Each structure stands twice: as structure tokens, then as C-alpha cells.
Amino acid sequence: MQNRRFGRSGWQISEIGYGMWGLAGWTGSDRKETDDSLNLAVESGVNFFDTAWGYGEGLSERILGDLIRRYPDRKLYAATKIPPKNRQWPSKPGSSLKDVFPADYIVEYTEKSLQNLGTERIDLLQFHVWEDSWAQEDEWKEAIQKLTQEGKVERWGISVNRWEPDNVLKTLETGLIDAVQVIYNIFDQAPEDNLFPLCKKLDIGVISRVPFDEGTLTGTLTKETTFPADDWRSTYFVPENLNSSVDHAEALKADIPEGMTMPELALRFILNNPDVHTTIPGMRKLPHVRSNVSASDGKLLDPKLAEKLKQHRWDRSPTQWSQ
């Protein structure tokens, strides 16, 4: 496993992290299988785990807390997120900060996450949605500075709304945010335009989420794929999105090198970019852990292939189903 320096925090974190949404918000989760997968990830060198209170109302955080206690001799970095008070994912333009992240609420959910994780301090606490119009408001700034001074949070981050990588740039300029989590993959290349250059300039940690485009970049979806009604993907892969997604995945297949799978190519595309410090695939099963971790071998893509992959950029705008 290769490690990368996580911006100005100076942390050396595994370039393959572990996204924990699927452990509590998707169908088909099994606790023993989850724990076995998490253990294998740690033993394979993964040391960065991304969760949120919103993943099962604290369940995913508690699962991570149990993992941290199973490995007292390892430094495992816990990144979690404060849910929006109005429970709107993503936030809407014009949203008022007092309706989404008032100061007392930031403190309240910091305490809840600390309790769920069972730790004295949260390594990285992120806002689960964001509007850049809040950049100059004092309330969130005072709350996070207080919690940092109290030793309850070491670093602060923002999870940027889907397909809005520029909706955070002014906030990063405040100097109070240490990390950004953004959708970045073979299709979603827009963060390269403005967000990544600013993060590099300000030495901000970058987490690439949704490396497989919610499953499209595994190459397993078809236009007939369906999901159970209680699975989040059933509302995301509406026919309009499913059909386009499958078409884009089919187009990519022609550029996959011999002997490489689409998921491996998806991870290697991300790791090929030095501006990204970790990516956080969901890994609910042991074979997923093994295959994802194996992509971290320090080998870069052939430059011609990397150039070809730029042509698969697919710029999308937020819509009703894209939360």
C-alpha cells in the first residue's frame, strides 16, 4: 500500500481509503462480512476510513469505532461528517446557514460522533453538504475554532455537493478548511479545472469519492438493472441516468488495457493524479478489498492511455435525482 501526505495535516494516509456509506445505507450489508472486510483492509495497509452520522444514523460511525478498538496499536484515521440540520442532501442554493449548520448544532453533532466513535478526538470532521455563499459567515467559523481549541476535532473538511466542485472555493480561501472530499473519477473530471489547483496552492487534503460512479465504472450495470426500493441507488439510477451511464461505460470498454478490469482502471485513473491524496471505494466484501488494494502499487498509467481517458469526461449538472 502506498501512502500520500494529506495536505498540511502532514498525515501519511493510504492512497486507497475505505468508504463506509455502503455499510449502513445500501441493501445487502452483513455485519460479520463487514467486519471481516474492514479487518482485511487494515491488515492490507488501509489507514483512512470515511464515514458519516448520516450513514445509518450513527451505525457506520459505531462500526468504525469498534474497528479502531480492535487495532489499538495502529493509527487509523477516522473521517466523519455532520449531517445538514434540515436533512437536505445536497444543500440548495440560497439555503440559510442557520437552517443547515447553526453553531449549537455543529457542537451537538460533534459530540454525537465522538460518542459513536468512542474516541476523545475526531481526526477529520466534515460538513456533509456546503454552499460557498456561507464562506464569510461567522457562526460556523466560531464553532469549529472552539471545537478545535477544546481538542475535540483535529482537522476540518467539506464534502462538496455532487457535480458542484466549485461550490467551495471561497470557503477554502478562509484558511479554516484542511480537506475537501469531492466526486472525481473517469467521468467526473471537472475538479481538475479549479478545485485541485486551489487545493494544491493552499496545501489542502483531497479525498476522491465515488471512484466507480456509484457502480457504473464496475462495468456490471445494464439497462435492465434494478435495485430494491430501500436501496439509495433505486432513486439515483432512474432510467434517464441508468441508460446514459451504461452507454458511457460501454464506450470506455474499448480503452481498457488487456488484462485490466474496469474497476482497476477506474482506481488507477484517480491514483494517476498526484493532486488526489486518497480515494474511498466502498468495500463490503473480501474480494473487493483485495482487488481495490492491489491497485496501490505505485505504477502510473501509460501516458497515452491517460490522455485517452480524458476523452471520457462527462460533465453533468445537479438534477432532481442526483443527491
Side-chain angles (χ1 to χ4, degrees):
M1 172 65 69
Q2 307 291 306
N3 288 342
R4 298 189 182 194
R5 176 180 168 275
F6 191 55
R8 60 183 178 234
S9 73
W11 302 341
Q12 290 293 317
I13 65 170
S14 54
E15 63 181 17
I16 300 289
Y18 199 118
M20 297 184 65
W21 181 14
L23 308 187
W26 299 28
T27 54
S29 295
D30 172 84
R31 182 61 193 264
K32 183 181 185 307
E33 188 174 51
T34 292
D35 285 341
D36 288 346
S37 298
L38 286 164
N39 292 343
L40 179 60
V42 172
E43 286 149 18
S44 303
V46 174
N47 69 0
F48 186 85
F49 295 81
D50 178 81
T51 184
W53 183 90
Y55 303 163
E57 298 190 346
L59 173 59
S60 183
E61 289 181 328
R62 292 191 290 276
I63 291 171
L64 178 53
D66 290 343
L67 177 71
I68 290 169
R69 283 184 288 282
R70 287 202 296 278
Y71 289 91
D73 57 333
R74 306 253 187 135
K75 175 55 188 171
L76 303 182
Y77 291 95
T80 191
K81 307 179 196 79
I82 305 169
K85 185 175 182 180
N86 61 4
R87 298 301 188 259
Q88 281 191 357
W89 280 273
S91 52
K92 302 285 189 288
S95 299
S96 166
L97 181 69
K98 67 177 171 44
D99 293 331
V100 187
F101 294 122
D104 59 345
Y105 177 83
I106 293 171
V107 172
E108 176 190 352
Y109 272 77
T110 301
E111 297 289 356
K112 285 185 190 233
S113 291
L114 281 166
Q115 190 171 4
N116 286 330
L117 291 166
T119 57
E120 291 183 2
R121 181 167 61 181
I122 297 167
D123 296 312
L124 177 63
L125 186 55
Q126 304 157 94
F127 293 98
H128 208 157
V129 301
W130 196 254
E131 293 296 324
D132 214 17
S133 59
W134 301 333
Q136 297 312 319
E137 298 208 29
D138 291 335
E139 192 159 348
W140 68 269
K141 297 177 184 177
E142 290 166 3
I144 72 171
Q145 287 171 311
K146 175 177 178 284
L147 288 161
T148 303
Q149 285 162 5
E150 291 173 353
K152 292 179 177 177
V153 178
E154 184 165 350
R155 298 283 172 171
W156 290 89
I158 288 173
S159 181
V160 188
N161 300 346
R162 185 186 297 273
W163 304 331
E164 299 179 22
D166 291 354
N167 194 5
V168 71
L169 303 179
K170 285 189 227 136
T171 307
L172 299 185
E173 295 276 14
T174 66
L176 297 174
I177 299 298
D178 306 291
V180 163
Q181 179 173 148
V182 66
I183 294 180
Y184 177 66
N185 55 50
I186 291 173
F187 297 152
D188 292 299
Q189 300 182 33
E192 294 178 6
D193 298 346
N194 302 309
L195 179 59
F196 288 175
L198 182 61
C199 288
K200 188 173 184 177
K201 174 187 162 192
L202 300 175
D203 202 14
I204 287 170
V206 173
I207 304 161
S208 159
R209 77 176 190 271
V210 195
F212 303 129
D213 194 49
E214 309 297 7
T216 309
L217 285 166
T218 63
T220 57
L221 297 186
T222 71
K223 292 184 179 181
E224 288 70 49
T225 299
T226 59
F227 297 97
D230 60 345
D231 188 307
W232 170 84
R233 290 168 292 181
S234 67
T235 60
Y236 178 74
F237 283 113
V238 296
E240 169 198 352
N241 187 29
L242 180 63
N243 292 336
S244 295
S245 296
V246 172
D247 288 343
H248 278 83
E250 286 297 318
L252 176 63
K253 284 179 181 175
D255 289 331
I256 300 174
E258 192 176 341
M260 193 181 290
T261 64
M262 190 182 289
E264 181 185 347
L265 180 62
L267 291 177
R268 289 188 180 280
F269 167 82
I270 295 165
L271 298 180
N272 210 56
N273 190 334
D275 292 339
V276 174
H277 304 124
T278 188
T279 185
I280 49 171
M283 301 188 277
R284 295 187 291 171
K285 299 179 187 299
L286 295 170
H288 297 163
V289 177
R290 291 189 189 100
S291 61
N292 292 342
V293 164
S294 69
S296 175
D297 57 10
K299 294 177 184 170
L300 296 177
L301 292 176
D302 178 273
K304 287 182 182 170
L305 174 59
E307 195 60 35
K308 263 190 192 174
L309 294 178
K310 288 183 182 178
Q311 298 164 17
H312 292 279
R313 176 169 171 160
W314 179 17
D315 287 334
R316 293 172 272 186
S317 300
T319 188
Q320 200 173 356
W321 44 261
S322 64
Q323 67 173 23

